[in-house]
Amino acid sequence: MKISEINNMTNSSYLVVLFCASAGKNGEELGVDEEQIVLFVYLLYDLPNNKVVAVQQHYCRPTPNELSETVITEDCKQETGLDEDIIKNAQPLDHVLDEFDRFLVSKGVHPDHGGKSFCLATDGPNHIRQALHPECGNKNITLPQYFYSYYDLRKEFVKMYKAENITNIKCMLDYLGLQEDQSSEYGIKQCQEMASTIHRLIVDGHLFTEPDVVNERLEPGICSKTDIVDDEVVVRARGLPWQSSDQDIARFFKGLNIAKGGVALCLSPQGRRNGEALVRFQDQEMRDLAIRRHKHHIGQRYIEVYKATGKDFLNVAGGSNTEAQAFLSRGGEVIIRMRGLPFTATTQQVLEFFAREPNVCDVLDGEDGILFVHYPDGRSTGDAFVLMPTEDEADKALKKHRDIMGTRYIELFKSTTAEVQQVLNRSMDPRNPEPQESQVALPPLIAQLPPQTALPYIPQSLITSGTKRDCIRLRNLPGGSQVTDILSFLGEFSQFIVYQGVHMVYSAQGEPSGEAFIQMSSEEAAQLTAINRHRRQIIYAGKKRVIEVIQCSGEDMNLVLTHGITSPTLSPVTPIAHQAAVPTITHSPIIQRQIISPGTTALLPSLPGVATNPLATSFSSALPFTHIPQPMYASPFQQGITPIAAAAPRPAMFPQIIYWYPTPPVSPQTYFTTNTGPSMVVMRGLPFNVSLQDILNFFQGFPEVSPECIQVQYTPEGLPSGDVVISFASRGEAERAVAEKNHQIVGNRMVELFLAS
């Protein structure tokens, strides 16, 4: 059979041999360091006539890097022989791609201009998958369709000759006994050697019939817990921004083929997105390429990528809920999650919500495209998932974020098939929100209260005051009950609680009083909660207990806490005192029942001198802070109380009691306990001019570290002490931070990290 007859049987008349070089590492490591393309070479090969038509080379100017004066690295110079001045004066990548497009038109092979068919060919997958697609994605360059398929010459070579250990062009040349090309230009030499290999393949009768395909976008899919997932196709991505969607993660892995529905965003034990995702790829080759993107970036955050198992993926993405699977099987390009729905909301009301002006949008399949989330007893959680037919419809839908339905505003978020499965699985868990009589009580979020000497006393007047009846009072609580028990008792009404609004009441001896005060979002919310939960039962340690729920105001709270006696005036030298001590008062001592509440800037008085100190002012403007109280040595039962000012100041560190509420898109009632509660890490030795962004950058890879978690510590004079306390949601993450970040550099100083407790 003649060569022309053989190639008439192939899918393409031409091959375009493509070669890229980056400003950093090249060869087998091309793309691992995120360096930009600086050399773009292509060669047009006529398959029917088995000859080279033309070859062209372009230099590419990378986007300037403010952190580096040089454009290309020493490794690149040694490998490629490129000159930095030539690269600096070259065209940017998008212009080079336009030149390539015009080249195809001029040679009569452009598919959009009636040209003959062609396909790209490369030496391995890196040029297309690890260099070109990721960089174009980062620069918002839209690649033409012909960049989404290519022939991998290594695979074609192995298919033809059954050879082993073919890792580069030189291996192919040596196997075939061909001479290396003598071109002086690095990129042209590589393309000419690939052309020699193609020539020999065709002469020996090889057919180019099945190109590799690059997926354009992530496709939705359903995963069942009974599915079998290969351990060699899954990775775990860590350090993702909490608001990342599955499409954002797919963009991070752009160029690699992810399986349908292959991105599963992980939720923490508290029901929040925890900055991790499990990603399932089409095959092991894609997984291995994904591992090479370890510590690549999304924005300013670097993302860690590790191997994971199929079981890990099924634990997150696998579903057994038939209702969810029937809902997801309808298709739809985008899933929207609705949060905060009235508990009596119907599918018709949801359709009317999306049909309102402005931003009218269609729901896929009408009422069948809506899935409400319910508890095991059939009550609504206030959440729903909605299918949108296109991205455009979804974009219009998301513009309705915080629009009103009835008297409530509705929050909207993009969701994923895996998240639908997780939420449905968890909502139907019989432990959520009210355990049945036969069940054992779940462990509390905080296993036990810290020692009483470590509890800061916060005056009730700093928590809330006034006559507005936007609080509720709970009475007859079990002695060992925790915040998690209260949230479970309130059920769907817990969504009305303001941030850190649960305040447990303790006696002067530090014992639980059986009462709690809760700040609600409005008087209406407090009234609705009191009406629906008053004299309802709570099950604790296998026993039922009737709880009184009474609507009240901040002023009512104060009367209860002071037993109806006007609050004593606190000495100005004691803005905050320990639970084990009582502040100096202006008349006969009164033992006040105290509220234990999270110590945040909103609840703490300002420190004298901080605002007037220039250094402290610049520092505190960027970071929230909590003053660490000094020890008091007076017993609360002594008649003579020693003022706090009389005690010699000593450094002390007292971990806060922190009640974690889920952040969007997880509903407040989707609340889960864990055996490892919040932990604090101390950073010591920081420069005094350190900024908030410096600390956030230092903790890259720890998505739970946010500005709200950072507390600056001050000296008695109001100056930054060089210490910062960081709150972590779990002890495991706190220990990881200490292990990975201790003795690293911030500014020009080495900082020490250790657990606060």
Side-chain angles (χ1 to χ4, degrees):
M1 187 178 290
K2 295 181 180 179
I3 292 175
S4 59
E5 293 174 344
I6 292 173
N7 284 284
N8 284 336
M9 299 170 61
T10 65
N11 294 329
S12 303
S13 299
Y14 291 86
L15 290 180
V16 175
V17 176
L18 188 66
F19 180 85
C20 300
S22 79
K25 295 181 178 181
N26 289 288
E28 287 305 294
E29 294 187 307
L30 177 65
V32 299
D33 53 4
E34 293 185 283
E35 290 290 347
Q36 300 174 64
I37 294 171
V38 293
L39 181 64
F40 190 86
V41 188
Y42 45 89
L43 178 150
L44 183 62
Y45 198 92
D46 183 345
L47 286 175
N49 297 302
N50 200 15
K51 67 177 184 179
V52 174
V53 176
V55 59
Q56 288 200 16
Q57 173 177 274
H58 295 277
Y59 300 110
C60 307
R61 184 179 74 244
T63 302
N65 184 348
E66 295 178 358
L67 302 178
S68 176
E69 295 181 359
T70 60
V71 174
I72 55 179
T73 64
E74 288 300 320
D75 287 343
C76 175
K77 292 177 183 178
Q78 293 177 8
E79 173 80 13
T80 65
L82 294 175
D83 182 83
E84 183 152 339
D85 291 334
I86 293 176
I87 301 301
K88 285 182 178 179
N89 295 314
Q91 296 292 322
L93 179 62
D94 55 340
H95 289 197
V96 171
L97 292 174
D98 289 340
E99 285 289 334
F100 176 62
D101 204 65
R102 287 191 286 270
F103 169 83
L104 296 176
V105 174
S106 68
K107 297 301 179 181
V109 297
H110 197 292
D112 295 339
H113 294 79
K116 295 181 180 179
S117 61
F118 79 93
C119 188
L120 300 176
T122 63
D123 174 32
N126 288 349
H127 302 272
I128 295 289
R129 295 189 183 273
Q130 296 287 73
L132 187 61
H133 276 279
E135 182 171 339
C136 289
N138 292 335
K139 294 180 176 179
N140 295 317
I141 299 172
T142 301
L143 286 172
Q145 192 64 37
Y146 50 74
F147 280 111
Y148 286 88
S149 62
Y150 69 99
Y151 288 106
D152 183 341
L153 283 185
R154 297 179 192 178
K155 290 182 181 179
E156 300 298 319
F157 193 93
V158 170
K159 189 187 300 182
M160 178 65 188
Y161 299 111
K162 314 301 180 189
E164 296 180 354
N165 300 321
I166 302 299
T167 58
N168 52 41
I169 301 171
K170 188 176 186 307
C171 291
M172 293 184 254
L173 295 177
D174 291 344
Y175 185 92
L176 297 173
L178 299 177
Q179 296 296 317
E180 293 185 13
D181 189 81
Q182 300 304 310
S183 301
S184 59
E185 296 287 348
Y186 175 74
I188 291 177
K189 176 178 183 293
Q190 303 292 324
C191 285
Q192 292 286 12
E193 290 177 348
M194 281 189 274
S196 298
T197 304
I198 292 170
H199 182 275
R200 181 66 173 270
L201 282 167
I202 293 173
V203 168
D204 290 346
H206 182 67
L207 301 177
F208 291 88
T209 56
E210 297 181 7
D212 286 8
V213 175
V214 181
N215 290 349
E216 290 189 61
R217 65 188 308 275
L218 175 66
E219 296 183 29
I222 304 170
C223 181
S224 170
K225 285 193 177 293
T226 60
D227 290 351
I228 298 175
V229 179
D230 188 353
D231 286 343
E232 302 302 320
V233 299
V234 181
V235 302
R236 181 184 297 274
R238 175 181 289 173
L240 299 161
W242 72 265
Q243 71 272 30
S244 296
S245 68
D246 55 347
Q247 295 295 338
D248 294 327
I249 297 166
R251 278 191 287 273
F252 174 77
F253 290 110
K254 189 171 178 61
L256 307 183
N257 293 351
I258 299 174
K260 290 184 178 181
V263 176
L265 299 167
C266 300
L267 301 182
S268 71
Q270 289 79 31
R272 301 163 39 175
R273 287 184 180 175
N274 66 1
E276 293 189 6
L278 289 159
V279 185
R280 177 187 180 186
F281 292 91
Q282 283 187 353
D283 52 45
Q284 185 175 348
E285 180 192 18
M286 297 296 105
R287 193 282 307 268
D288 293 342
L289 291 173
I291 293 294
R292 296 184 185 181
R293 299 198 187 180
H294 179 60
K295 293 201 172 180
H296 283 204
H297 290 75
I298 294 180
Q300 298 300 314
R301 302 180 72 105
Y302 71 78
I303 309 301
E304 300 172 6
V305 183
Y306 305 99
K307 290 181 181 179
T309 66
K311 183 179 179 181
D312 292 336
F313 184 81
L314 286 175
N315 286 341
V316 175
S320 56
N321 187 292
T322 55
E323 186 181 16
Q325 293 189 7
F327 170 76
L328 295 171
S329 65
R330 295 184 173 276
E333 286 195 20
V334 182
I335 303 171
I336 298 293
R337 184 171 183 180
M338 304 182 73
R339 171 189 166 193
L341 289 165
F343 303 117
T344 57
T346 65
T347 53
Q348 189 58 42
Q349 288 175 315
V350 172
L351 291 174
E352 291 172 358
F353 174 83
F354 287 109
R356 287 203 309 252
E357 293 283 356
N359 302 312
V360 176
C361 50
D362 295 325
V363 175
L364 182 70
D365 294 340
E367 293 188 3
D368 292 332
I370 301 167
L371 177 64
F372 288 102
V373 183
H374 296 93
Y375 290 121
D377 60 6
R379 292 179 296 114
S380 172
T381 67
D383 285 16
F385 293 97
V386 180
L387 295 174
M388 291 292 162
T390 64
E391 285 279 359
D392 290 340
E393 292 297 311
D395 290 341
K396 289 191 289 184
L398 291 172
K399 291 178 181 177
K400 293 179 176 289
H401 181 58
R402 291 185 176 270
D403 278 7
I404 301 297
M405 179 185 291
T407 59
R408 305 182 65 176
Y409 71 83
I410 309 301
E411 295 178 293
L412 303 175
F413 309 92
K414 273 190 177 181
S415 187
T416 68
T417 56
E419 190 170 60
V420 173
Q421 301 270 32
Q422 286 184 81
V423 172
L424 266 292
N425 290 343
R426 290 188 174 191
S427 71
M428 298 307 292
D429 189 324
R431 296 173 298 177
N432 181 41
E434 295 180 353
Q436 301 300 316
E437 188 171 357
S438 61
Q439 291 178 325
V440 179
L442 293 175
L445 179 63
I446 302 174
Q448 62 183 22
L449 287 172
Q452 297 303 314
T453 55
L455 292 173
Y457 163 61
I458 299 174
Q460 179 274 332
S461 59
L462 293 176
I463 297 172
T464 185
S465 59
T467 59
K468 188 176 180 182
R469 294 169 59 80
D470 57 356
C471 303
I472 56 173
R473 177 186 180 188
L474 272 60
R475 298 179 58 185
N476 200 33
L477 291 167
S481 58
Q482 299 286 331
V483 174
T484 49
D485 301 305
I486 292 175
L487 295 177
S488 295
F489 169 73
L490 293 178
E492 66 268 28
F493 298 100
S494 63
Q495 69 184 300
F496 299 123
I497 301 173
V498 302
Y499 179 68
Q500 295 183 338
V502 180
H503 309 291
M504 308 294 288
V505 181
Y506 291 81
S507 68
Q509 289 74 35
E511 298 296 329
S513 69
E515 296 191 19
F517 282 96
I518 300 175
Q519 296 170 263
M520 309 299 282
S521 58
S522 65
E523 288 186 287
E524 293 76 13
Q527 182 182 30
L528 185 64
T529 305
I531 291 173
N532 284 276
R533 305 307 293 173
H534 183 55
R535 300 201 62 79
R536 293 286 295 272
Q537 292 179 345
I538 190 172
I539 301 174
Y540 185 82
K543 296 181 180 180
K544 295 181 179 179
R545 198 156 187 172
V546 176
I547 308 300
E548 297 180 22
V549 182
I550 305 164
Q551 185 181 6
C552 64
S553 66
E555 188 174 283
D556 296 333
M557 288 173 62
N558 190 57
L559 290 173
V560 171
L561 294 173
T562 59
H563 303 282
I565 304 172
T566 304
S567 297
T569 304
L570 296 179
S571 170
V573 298
T574 57
I576 302 173
H578 288 286
Q579 171 137 358
V582 172
T584 304
I585 52 182
T586 58
H587 52 266
S588 58
I590 295 171
I591 297 176
Q592 185 178 8
R593 302 173 73 186
Q594 299 167 4
I595 291 179
I596 306 305
S597 179
T600 64
T601 50
L603 301 180
L604 296 172
S606 58
L607 285 173
V610 173
T612 59
N613 185 293
L615 179 59
T617 302
S618 62
F619 196 92
S620 61
S621 63
L623 300 173
F625 68 92
T626 299
H627 179 60
I628 298 178
Q630 301 300 320
M632 293 184 64
Y633 302 98
S635 166
F637 303 105
Q638 291 175 326
Q639 292 299 319
I641 306 292
T642 305
I644 190 171
R650 289 173 51 191
M653 178 116 2
F654 299 101
Q656 298 170 295
I657 295 181
I658 300 175
Y659 304 133
W660 295 94
Y661 289 85
T663 55
V666 179
S667 297
Q669 60 266 34
T670 308
Y671 194 93
F672 299 89
T673 59
T674 177
N675 290 324
T676 55
S679 294
M680 317 290 283
V681 170
V682 180
M683 296 180 70
R684 176 156 293 168
L686 287 163
F688 296 119
N689 61 346
V690 70
S691 68
L692 172 64
Q693 193 59 49
D694 293 333
I695 296 176
L696 293 175
N697 291 342
F698 181 81
F699 282 103
Q700 275 197 2
F702 294 83
E704 67 274 19
V705 176
S706 64
E708 294 76 20
C709 302
I710 301 170
Q711 301 175 53
V712 181
Q713 306 303 318
Y714 288 89
T715 66
E717 293 77 27
L719 298 173
S721 67
D723 287 5
V724 167
V725 181
I726 312 292
S727 307
F728 286 85
S730 68
R731 187 172 183 87
E733 284 298 282
E735 290 174 346
R736 183 168 75 90
V738 173
E740 295 182 9
K741 297 294 186 179
N742 191 28
H743 293 155
Q744 292 196 16
I745 302 298
V746 175
N748 58 356
R749 302 186 65 175
M750 184 176 71
V751 295
E752 179 185 2
L753 270 71
F754 56 88
L755 292 171
S757 59

